Structure formats: structure tokens, C-alpha cells
């Protein structure tokens, strides 16, 4: 992890993840954190979590310094089942990184409207609605990542809520629980702009 003067967040290649019940979209940015691009769509395997391992392997291969997982909230800022799913998924990623001895921060960031925006962008690019399903998740992941890296640069600090593994004695690494830490205690993180890494 490198830090330039005044920047207190990981700098380098980062991944964005859009979690769904059926598919998981993955995006990545360049080393200079200028542009987030769609990378791939994985089938969600909730029993074996093979998709989690694919993302961890990709992070290792690329030397990724951070992963952003989209946290879906309602327009009122409320969290429901899909938000819990994203939080649990982020916890699985953290546990996988820990099991591999990788120090890769995982942050949850607000992703309201990311899928809606992805569908609109694909439509504007001339892709038929029938073909959206193949790529919409990775396009949404790119939107999540772009927003996060733009906010990091604008604020000069980290954004979102850092997810940490909470290991319990006697439990294997993949059975570890996780928690999303609100970066600024007492402040509402309804937008990724409000979060800071501790």
C-alpha cells in the first residue's frame, strides 16, 4: 500500500463488487485510479463460495490494494435483506483474504441506483435489453468502484465502512464472523462520502 502526501487511503489497483443472489459483478481500476472498468460476471455459489475465491485470487494476481462492495440501500437510506447479503458477502471476502494471509481492506459503499444506472448506460450504448443480463452486474460494479475512487481523491481520505473479521477461538477461518465498522462513530453513513477508514 502506498500513500502520497495528504492521502490516507490505499492507492493502486482496486476492485469493485456488485453482489446479487444469482450473479456477482466484478470491476477493476488502473493503478493510477483514474478509470473503473467492468471485468467479469461470476455465478454466485452460496454453498461453496467459489466466486469469493475467484475474487480473492484475482486480487492476489493483480496486487489489488482494496475492494469495494456495493451496499444496496433504499432511497430513504434503509437497509433490508439485500444489504445484509452484501454485508455477509463482504465478510466472506475478508475471511478469505485473512485465510490466504492477504492484507486487502474491504469497504462497503452505498450503491443506490447503481443497477438502474448500469441498465441505462447499456441501453444508451445500443445494447438490447435482452443482452443486459450478461454484463449489467459488472457494469454496476464499475459504477460502484468509480464512485468510490472519485470520492477518495476528492476528499483525500478513505470512504465507506471497513469490514473486519472477528475470529472466535476454535473456529476455522471460513467460519469467522465479520462486522462492518462505521468509520466515523456517531455519524450516519448513508452515502459513501460520509465514511472514513479508521
Amino acid at each position: 500500500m502506498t500513500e502520497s502526501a495528504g492521502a490516507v487511503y490505499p492507492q493502486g489497483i482496486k476492485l469493485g463488487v456488485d453482489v446479487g443472489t444469482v450473479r456477482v459483478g466484478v470491476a477493476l481500476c488502473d493503478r493510477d485510479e483514474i478509470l473503473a472498468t467492468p471485468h467479469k460476471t461470476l455465478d454466485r455459489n452460496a454453498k461453496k463460495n467459489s466466486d469469493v475465491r475467484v475474487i480473492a485470487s484475482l486480487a492476489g494476481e493483480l496486487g489489488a490494494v482494496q475492494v469495494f462492495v456495493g451496499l444496496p440501500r433504499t432511497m430513504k437510506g434503509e437497509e433490508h435483506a439485500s444489504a445484509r447479503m452484501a454485508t455477509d458477502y463482504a465478510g466472506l471476502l475478508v475471511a478469505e483474504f485473512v485465510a490466504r494471509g492477504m492484507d486487502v481492506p474491504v469497504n462497503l459503499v452505498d450503491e443506490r441506483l447503481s443497477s438502474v444506472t448500469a441498465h441505462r448506460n447499456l441501453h444508451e450504448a445500443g445494447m438490447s435489453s435482452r443482452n443486459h443480463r450478461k454484463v449489467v452486474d459488472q457494469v454496476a460494479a464499475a459504477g460502484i468502484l468509480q464512485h468510490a475512487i472519485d470520492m477518495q481523491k476528492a476528499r483525500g481520505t478513505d470512504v465507506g465502512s471497513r469490514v473486519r473479521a472477528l475470529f472466535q477461538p476454535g473456529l476455522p477461518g471460513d467460519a469467522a464472523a465479520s462486522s462492518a465498522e462505521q468509520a466515523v462513530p456517531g455519524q450516519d453513513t448513508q452515502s459513501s462520502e460520509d465514511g472514513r477508514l479508521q
Side-chain angles (χ1 to χ4, degrees):
M1 177 171 76
T2 60
E3 292 181 359
S4 62
V8 288
Y9 56 87
Q11 294 181 298
I13 295 171
K14 297 174 184 177
L15 303 182
V17 179
D18 180 62
V19 183
T21 55
V22 178
R23 291 177 300 276
V24 177
V26 183
L28 53 88
C29 72
D30 56 289
R31 197 169 299 279
D32 295 322
E33 305 167 41
I34 295 171
L35 181 65
T37 55
H39 181 66
K40 64 169 56 177
T41 300
L42 304 171
D43 290 329
R44 176 71 183 108
N45 185 332
K47 290 186 178 179
K48 296 183 178 179
N49 292 317
S50 55
D51 47 313
V52 173
R53 292 193 294 277
V54 168
I55 294 171
S57 294
L58 178 64
E61 290 166 14
L62 296 174
V65 298
Q66 189 169 32
V67 177
F68 289 102
V69 176
L71 181 66
R73 288 187 167 119
T74 67
M75 292 308 293
K76 293 181 178 180
E78 299 169 340
E79 295 181 12
H80 295 301
S82 56
R84 172 48 55 189
M85 181 177 64
T87 301
D88 290 346
Y89 195 89
L92 291 171
L93 276 173
V94 170
E96 184 66 27
F97 286 140
V98 170
R100 293 176 182 228
M102 298 169 63
D103 183 19
V104 181
V106 176
N107 286 28
L108 287 162
V109 290
D110 194 339
E111 68 141 320
R112 274 175 283 187
L113 299 180
S114 64
S115 294
V116 173
T117 302
H119 278 291
R120 185 178 65 236
N121 290 344
L122 290 170
H123 180 73
E124 290 174 355
M127 181 177 284
S128 69
S129 299
R130 181 170 39 196
N131 294 323
H132 283 197
R133 187 167 47 179
K134 300 174 185 176
V135 296
V136 70
D137 301 288
Q138 56 187 276
V139 172
I144 291 164
L145 180 57
Q146 189 69 55
H147 177 67
I149 61 178
D150 287 348
M151 288 310 306
Q152 282 181 325
K153 286 184 177 181
R155 292 183 166 251
T157 190
D158 211 352
V159 296
S161 299
R162 175 83 178 264
V163 179
R164 299 186 188 278
L166 300 177
F167 292 99
Q168 298 177 11
L171 290 180
D174 61 357
S178 66
S179 69
E181 291 190 353
Q182 191 165 307
V184 182
Q187 288 191 8
D188 187 5
T189 54
Q190 288 192 5
S191 166
S192 60
E193 299 174 16
D194 298 327
R196 287 192 175 85
L197 183 65
Q198 286 183 327

